[in-house]
Amino acid sequence: IPEEFAVSSVKTEDGVCLLYLPPQTIQALPEDEYTQSLILWSLTESLYSLDYIREIRLLVDGEELEFFGNVPVSGVTERPQG
């Protein structure tokens, strides 16, 4: 995870985790899509290790992200089954 990576705040309500990221965090992501996906995987796996988290929403400036850099977030927004 890049040194510049930061989280503004985290809020959890009814099993949904809202992860607020500052715009600088997204701008500081490495250009390499594989590295972006590893960072996203690391974040979501850490949050899903908490039993009460069912869904994750990533937000920047109050807007939900569709992409984490170049990586679609749709595949990580709900807890994996199994």
Side-chain angles (χ1 to χ4, degrees):
I1 295 180
E3 187 173 316
E4 302 85 13
F5 194 90
V7 173
S8 296
S9 65
V10 178
K11 180 180 177 183
T12 304
E13 187 173 309
D14 297 325
V16 178
C17 178
L18 302 174
L19 187 66
Y20 295 91
L21 304 172
Q24 301 89 328
T25 290
I26 300 301
Q27 295 166 357
L29 287 174
E31 291 185 22
D32 176 44
E33 190 172 324
Y34 178 74
T35 304
Q36 293 173 3
S37 66
L38 286 177
I39 295 168
L40 182 59
W41 177 84
S42 178
L43 281 172
T44 57
E45 284 298 305
S46 294
L47 291 168
Y48 284 133
S49 71
L50 303 170
D51 292 337
Y52 57 90
I53 302 293
R54 294 183 291 102
E55 297 178 21
I56 297 171
R57 302 287 179 245
L58 303 172
L59 298 102
V60 172
D61 290 335
E63 298 290 323
E64 190 169 344
L65 293 181
E66 292 183 26
F67 289 88
F68 186 80
N70 297 316
V71 179
V73 298
S74 60
V76 299
T77 57
E78 293 186 17
R79 177 184 284 281
Q81 300 299 316

